[in-house]
Amino acid sequence: MREEARQGRSAGMAVKEGFARAYRTILDSNLTTLIAVSLLFLVGSGPVKGFAVTIGIGLLTSLFTAVTLTQLLTEWQIRGRERQPLVLPGVAWLDRLSARVPNVMRGRRVGLTLSAVLSLAAVLLYVQPGLKYGVDFTGGTLVEVQAPGVAADDLRQVLPGQAGVQESEGEGHYLVRLPVAQEPTVAAEQMEALKASVRDLSAEAEFPRTEMVGPKVSGDFSDISILAVLLAGAGVLGYLWWRFESHFALAATLTIALDLTKTIGFFVLAGVEFNLTAVAALLALIGYSVNDKVVVFDRVREQLRLTPDKPLLDVLNESIAATLTRTVFTSVTTLLALLPMALAGGAAVVSFAQPLLFGVIVGTSSSVFIAAPLLYWLARRRARRGLAQLQPTAEEVRQRLAQMP
């Protein structure tokens, strides 16, 4: 709507054209994520399936409000002033920012090289020292202990030698892990013995959270989680290949893969436990990242069809500039929602909020500095094979045939 108003359209036309032009982008970005979570629901079980259902309901609700309710409320706001200019207070600086066309593609080689080096380093960190897996994947018993005035060394002395003690946030707050027990009765006895030992040190000790996972269940979770991430990526690739073209789909998928590898590296460096909550964070990152890429790529496709003779580097720079304010606003609002969870959410959500916080920053920067250079490289490779940058639509073919003598 800001773009339409900047071109001199009245308030009524700006709202109408703004929603009409944004509809396709909104649909593409939401459907890619919806395809991914639908595949999760089909193959997942337990928490994975619950995550898919929750995200799916949120996406459908968001899609409905974006294309219907928001437009109705906006039209209600301008009722009686449809023929007047659309005035959006306090956004003049955004128009000035969008009007500038930074030469982002000038640093494309540096951006791709740096991204590849960081992703390679993340893969090496994954190999050694590796992720700190939670009981969801390793099996065993996890007990959250709140024992005021009890030191970690004192706790280690009274617990069995195979028990692992990790200091958590706050004084007297610990996570205790016991190895997997083959029989449920043995695991229950271990847990009761642990609680009794801790209460001997502090009568005020509390145990807010207890998780018990058997070896077979943890193995199933591991297989399902890997399959879920792979299917989510494949679903996104397939939809983008159909909706855009092969080089657009490959550029988006490769960029998302680079984003995920860097996030895995963050898990290792930050020492964040990798559990099913962490898998949910990776899946949410796929949805967020592809959403951002679709916004930029949709503008690139639009510009290529409007100005097919313009150099691709110029089209990419202009498309990035035109969508930059949307990308920044989306990222800032997401970060504001995640920041309280990451700082004060506690052990229950730290494996989700902190990696996703990092992933949003990485995904936002990759939409500008990685996805567009990859698209440029793949488009040049496509051109060397004698293929067009973008296949014409059926309507464009009819128009060209009508113009032929």
Side-chain angles (χ1 to χ4, degrees):
M1 286 189 290
R2 282 194 300 110
E3 292 175 6
E4 297 297 326
R6 196 164 59 238
Q7 295 175 9
R9 296 187 186 275
S10 63
M13 287 300 297
V15 170
K16 180 180 178 181
E17 293 297 325
F19 274 96
R21 289 183 60 186
Y23 175 77
R24 185 170 57 185
T25 305
I26 293 171
L27 196 62
D28 285 338
S29 59
N30 281 278
L31 281 180
T32 47
T33 310
L34 195 59
I35 288 172
V37 298
S38 299
L39 293 172
L40 295 184
F41 181 80
L42 292 176
V43 304
S45 63
V48 174
K49 183 171 288 190
F51 172 79
V53 171
T54 306
I55 294 294
I57 293 173
L59 281 172
L60 292 174
T61 306
S62 176
L63 184 60
F64 171 76
T65 57
V67 301
T68 56
L69 185 60
T70 306
Q71 184 171 3
L72 289 173
L73 291 174
T74 307
E75 291 173 347
W76 177 72
Q77 283 287 326
I78 64 169
R79 185 174 299 171
R81 297 180 285 113
E82 290 87 352
R83 296 184 179 277
Q84 299 177 13
L86 181 64
V87 179
L88 300 172
V91 298
W93 64 277
L94 289 176
D95 291 334
R96 290 194 296 269
L97 182 61
S98 299
R100 297 175 183 174
V101 182
N103 192 1
V104 175
M105 297 301 294
R106 181 174 55 185
R108 60 188 181 276
R109 293 183 180 86
V110 175
L112 286 174
T113 303
L114 181 61
S115 178
V117 169
L118 291 176
S119 292
L120 179 60
V123 172
L124 294 176
L125 287 172
Y126 171 76
V127 175
Q128 183 64 35
L131 293 167
K132 185 174 72 177
Y133 290 101
V135 294
D136 295 327
F137 294 99
T138 60
T141 304
L142 175 67
V143 182
E144 185 178 350
V145 178
Q146 291 181 353
V150 176
D153 291 338
D154 296 336
L155 193 60
R156 291 188 179 98
Q157 289 178 4
V158 301
L159 294 180
Q162 68 269 29
V165 179
Q166 176 190 347
E167 296 184 51
S168 188
E169 72 279 358
E171 184 180 357
H173 196 158
Y174 306 98
L175 293 176
V176 180
R177 290 176 176 80
L178 295 174
V180 61
Q182 298 298 326
E183 297 293 334
T185 54
V186 176
E189 291 174 0
Q190 288 179 340
M191 186 174 62
E192 290 304 320
L194 182 150
K195 290 182 178 180
S197 299
V198 175
R199 288 196 178 102
D200 289 340
L201 292 175
S202 173
E204 301 176 355
E206 296 180 357
F207 308 92
R209 178 167 60 112
T210 301
E211 297 178 9
M212 300 173 62
V213 180
K216 184 179 185 307
V217 175
S218 64
D220 292 342
F221 277 162
S222 179
D223 295 341
I224 289 172
S225 299
I226 294 172
L227 181 61
V229 174
L230 292 177
L231 281 178
V236 169
L237 174 64
Y239 179 80
L240 291 177
W241 200 302
W242 170 74
R243 194 68 176 85
F244 289 81
E245 286 191 22
S246 60
H247 52 308
F248 282 85
L250 285 174
T253 306
L254 289 173
T255 307
I256 293 169
L258 292 172
D259 293 345
L260 289 177
T261 53
K262 296 183 185 70
T263 308
I264 292 293
F266 172 81
F267 273 101
V268 179
L269 289 176
V272 178
E273 184 179 280
F274 194 84
N275 48 30
L276 280 179
T277 308
V279 175
L282 292 181
L283 296 171
L285 177 60
I286 290 176
Y288 177 87
S289 189
V290 73
N291 189 307
D292 220 13
K293 275 68 175 172
V294 165
V295 170
V296 178
F297 284 0
D298 200 62
R299 178 52 63 94
V300 173
R301 179 175 59 179
E302 180 182 324
Q303 293 297 320
L304 283 175
R305 283 178 172 155
L306 290 174
T307 55
D309 297 328
K310 182 176 287 189
L312 183 57
L313 283 176
D314 293 342
V315 171
L316 291 171
N317 280 326
E318 291 174 5
S319 299
I320 291 170
T323 57
L324 186 60
T325 56
R326 296 178 218 179
T327 300
V328 171
F329 267 144
T330 303
S331 301
V332 169
T333 51
T334 307
L335 290 173
L336 289 175
L338 288 171
L339 198 58
M341 296 172 60
L343 296 179
V349 296
V350 67
S351 296
F352 178 84
Q354 289 186 3
L356 193 55
L357 196 68
F358 173 83
V360 167
I361 297 173
V362 170
T364 301
S365 59
S366 69
S367 297
V368 177
F369 299 107
I370 308 302
L374 276 175
L375 179 60
Y376 175 73
W377 177 70
L378 290 171
R380 287 189 60 187
R381 179 171 170 266
R382 182 183 175 90
R384 286 195 295 268
R385 293 165 57 190
L387 300 174
Q389 291 180 356
L390 196 68
Q391 295 296 327
T393 63
E395 180 62 27
E396 290 172 335
V397 171
R398 286 193 293 269
Q399 292 177 359
R400 293 175 187 177
L401 290 174
Q403 293 173 358
M404 293 178 64

